[in-house]
């Protein structure tokens, strides 16, 4: 299945709309300490995948209007809040194609900017009128999941005993939960019964896990410019990734020897060597097929959506499968 | 007016209840990266003034039950979230009588712990059933005010041109807004008309401003042990305080000379000299009377509460006036 050109223009239009809203969002000018870096974060070149998914799921339930728009912005802001804080914790220097806040300003500024972006997300959720308390509660359950996922991510740094299951549980919280919410909110807004809401949530969970596994792949196999962030930083900071865990499991001796060999290599060389290693030992193929499996599971969850309205979400799944950044 | 012993036992009881709930709160054990330091923060010896005020205002409207309890915990958690993040930004080493999270663990941990405490506060607000959307929106308006206040506080560091009005606007956001919310929520929960809600909010704003001004005083005139945090840290980090701004305004030449004199003094000596300076130049008296003026304004706001139910809130105001830590 190649990428549908008409579909590409649909998601580019949504992306452009979200960018436009974020750039023209009526934030005050003062205090400059807060609002200058906050506006800077929101004009970064994000992929806007979460609001795109939320709006496409809204289309599947034939929803439009302010509730969908507020929810779409809120999930994008929640995501940006976590990025700003994670970038401090992971000491990342580049995000969305520009220096991170703690790189351009400092740690204090980026803590506060993250906090304020999170509050703004909550205020948008507060404007939702349908099923509001339920959505508010789901939003904050997921925000907690994201914190929990990030905590596991930090806790697992450098721990060689972490299993693939532990890794999957971590990314389910860190990435799956929010993408699950993007697909669940429109079902809640259209007052679908709980089975439909759950299947939509699981759809998002599954494609979210696939997305994160693919992110691990792209961190090694993409190029830095299109990713908009530095490559290899997860591996350098000894984070658990689908690739490293699978290598440790499939070819433990070779992986251990290889890690010793690359210990003092510069980053570019390390990435080049990692690519060959993961290719030659079929790690790449194994991990890519795990990612594809979750996409397929996601497609199965979509069966609760009326067939006539399912196409955009199927195309979105295919779009994730083929993304190169 | 001395402190009423019966009233003291009422607030000690509330404080104990809040401590108990926070210590036995059913947080999970894992991930330990998150929950060990999170539980550590919540067992710190906080004054619990915000939930005390909220519960006393609830008494004034003859409210009890789960909504009041959830709200009381939520404001305490919101406050603790801001303390954890502010302590990183201000590089503070001691809080509530124990090492701060970034001191005992590290910056990444304390960012995440602050985030999760904030999310937990939101989840408690999400459990409120009366007037829920309204309370949720007010809660997040106030959370934004607190961020804005903290941004001004950071922006004003070292700026000698900051006026008393700018300082008052800063503390209105940083401290007044949340204390205002503590008095407003019970009015919202009891569906009072908007005039009553506003007066209660203003009552909290006024006593909150008074509280912050007094905090500036206590940072110099209290002793470190009873404060549970290091003294003089605001002045050392060149923050604007009611005392320094008033000194700069009332005796600019003497203050400027004095600042030059203490430049290289150790902290204990600096605090001793500051005490004498503020005493001898009537700065202490001036600032204390400003603090008392806001308490009086707060008492005037209380006239909307039926006279028979007003006493505990008056006693609380008196308690703030006489506090020594």
């Amino acid at each position: 299945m190649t990428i549908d050109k008409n579909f590409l223009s649909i998601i580019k239009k949504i992306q452009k709309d979200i960018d436009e809203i974020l750039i023209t969002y009526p934030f005050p000018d003062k205090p400059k300490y807060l609002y200058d870096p906050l506006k800077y974060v929101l004009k970064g070149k994000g992929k806007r995948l979460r609001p795109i998914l939320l709006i496409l799921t809204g289309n599947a339930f034939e929803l439009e209007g302010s509730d969908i728009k507020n929810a779409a912005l809120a999930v994008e802001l929640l995501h940006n809040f976590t990025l700003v804080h994670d970038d401090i914790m992971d000491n990342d220097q580049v995000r969305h194609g520009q220096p991170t806040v703690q790189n351009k300003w400092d740690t204090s500024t980026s803590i506060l900017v993250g906090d304020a972006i999170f509050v703004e997300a909550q205020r948008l959720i507060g404007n939702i009128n349908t099923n509001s308390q339920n959505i508010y509660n789901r939003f904050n359950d997921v925000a907690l999941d994201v914190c929990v996922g990030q905590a596991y991510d930090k806790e697992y740094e450098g721990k060689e005993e972490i299993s693939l299951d532990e890794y999957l549980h971590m990314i389910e919280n860190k990435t799956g939960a929010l993408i699950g919410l993007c697909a669940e909110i429109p079902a809640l807004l259209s007052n679908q019964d709980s089975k439909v809401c759950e299947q939509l949530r699981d759809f998002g969970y599954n494609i979210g896990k696939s997305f994160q596994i693919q992110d691990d792949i792209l961190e090694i196999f993409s190029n830095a410019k299109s990713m908009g962030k530095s490559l290899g930083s997860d591996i350098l900071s000894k984070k658990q990734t689908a690739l490293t865990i699978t290598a440790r499991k499939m070819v433990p001796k070779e992986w251990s020897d290889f890690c010793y060999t690359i210990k003092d290599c510069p980053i570019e060389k390390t990435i080049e060597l990692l690519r060959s290693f993961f290719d030659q030992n079929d790690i790449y193929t194994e991990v890519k097929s795990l990612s594809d499996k979750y996409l397929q599971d996601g497609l199965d969850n979509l069966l609760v959506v009326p067939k006539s309205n399912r196409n955009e979400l199927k195309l979105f799944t295919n779009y994730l499968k083929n993304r190169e950044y």
Side-chain angles (χ1 to χ4, degrees), chain A:
Chain A
M1 196 156 145
T2 56
I3 295 179
D4 186 294
K5 283 219 174 112
N6 184 36
F7 177 71
L8 267 190
S9 75
I10 292 174
I11 62 172
K12 277 208 187 319
K13 166 80 169 64
I14 299 174
Q15 194 182 37
K16 210 177 140 219
D17 288 349
I18 297 288
D19 283 347
E20 179 73 17
I21 295 171
L22 289 176
I23 289 170
T24 59
Y25 203 97
F27 289 113
D29 284 328
K30 291 179 179 180
K32 289 173 84 61
Y33 182 95
L34 176 60
Y35 286 110
D36 282 359
L38 188 150
K39 291 174 190 171
Y40 168 88
V41 168
L42 300 183
K43 75 173 176 55
K45 294 280 160 250
K47 297 185 281 293
R48 317 302 183 202
L49 287 178
R50 289 156 191 81
I52 288 171
L53 172 60
L54 197 145
I55 286 167
L56 295 179
T57 317
N59 292 345
F61 291 110
E62 300 174 8
L63 291 171
E64 48 187 28
S66 66
D67 281 354
I68 277 284
K69 280 185 193 146
N70 283 321
L73 275 182
V75 295
E76 182 62 19
L77 291 188
L78 174 58
H79 176 56
N80 275 270
F81 142 67
T82 64
L83 293 180
V84 171
H85 280 189
D86 289 1
D87 283 344
I88 313 172
M89 298 183 217
D90 296 339
N91 199 22
D92 279 326
Q93 303 302 310
V94 179
R95 171 68 68 183
H96 290 165
Q98 58 184 18
T100 51
V101 181
Q102 91 270 13
N103 182 350
K104 193 171 161 79
W105 283 270
D106 55 30
T107 301
S108 296
T109 306
S110 42
I111 292 171
L112 196 59
V113 165
D115 292 343
I117 293 176
F118 187 34
V119 174
E120 208 54 49
Q122 303 276 1
R123 282 155 52 97
L124 286 161
I125 293 291
N127 287 333
I128 290 177
N129 291 313
T130 311
N131 214 341
S132 56
Q133 194 168 11
N134 207 352
I135 290 176
Y136 169 54
N137 286 332
R138 285 293 305 135
F139 188 79
N140 283 296
D141 288 349
V142 165
L144 186 61
D145 289 341
V146 177
C147 292
V148 164
Q150 172 68 3
Y152 278 120
D153 198 12
K154 294 298 290 177
E155 189 169 307
Y156 289 171
E157 277 176 11
K159 287 200 177 164
E160 302 227 331
E161 69 276 19
I162 300 307
S163 67
L164 191 62
D165 280 348
E166 287 171 309
Y167 164 85
L168 290 170
H169 179 243
M170 182 264 283
I171 66 169
E172 202 167 290
N173 282 285
K174 188 174 157 132
T175 312
L178 180 53
I179 296 184
L181 184 74
C182 296
E184 185 188 4
I185 285 180
L188 291 169
L189 283 175
S190 94
N191 287 310
Q192 298 292 319
D193 69 36
S194 63
K195 186 182 173 258
V196 175
C197 295
E198 267 170 38
Q199 286 294 311
L200 263 299
R201 189 201 296 192
D202 286 348
F203 162 69
Y205 260 99
N206 279 315
I207 67 172
K209 274 193 278 192
S210 167
F211 175 84
Q212 182 59 54
I213 294 167
Q214 214 178 340
D215 230 47
D216 289 354
I217 296 176
L218 290 170
E219 229 224 5
I220 300 302
F221 287 90
S222 174
N223 68 67
K225 203 177 157 199
S226 63
M227 279 295 269
K229 61 180 185 180
S230 33
L231 292 191
S233 70
D234 282 352
I235 295 215
L236 285 183
S237 59
K238 299 191 185 305
K239 280 193 184 294
Q240 304 304 322
T241 82
L243 291 166
T244 55
I245 292 174
T246 306
R248 209 158 59 214
K249 192 171 136 196
M250 282 175 57
V251 286
K253 172 80 174 68
E254 292 83 348
W255 175 245
S256 162
D257 293 348
F258 174 78
C259 287
Y260 187 81
T261 325
I262 60 168
K263 234 169 18 115
D264 299 316
C265 282
I267 175 71
E268 293 79 10
K269 184 70 186 163
T270 302
I271 289 179
E272 198 189 310
L273 291 169
L274 282 164
R275 285 181 188 172
S276 321
F277 185 91
F278 292 140
D279 259 337
Q280 286 161 16
N281 291 282
D282 295 330
I283 312 295
Y284 173 86
T285 320
E286 178 76 12
V287 171
K288 179 72 181 152
S289 75
L290 182 68
S291 168
D292 290 348
K293 177 193 111 45
Y294 283 118
L295 281 188
Q296 187 53 53
D297 289 351
L299 289 173
D300 295 342
N301 298 124
L302 279 185
L303 296 175
V304 292
V305 178
K307 195 169 180 190
S308 55
N309 288 1
R310 212 182 287 155
N311 199 41
E312 280 186 353
L313 292 176
K314 283 173 66 178
L315 291 169
F316 182 76
T317 306
N318 185 52
Y319 170 74
L320 287 188
K321 182 173 178 162
N322 293 293
R323 79 187 174 106
E324 285 170 359
Y325 61 91

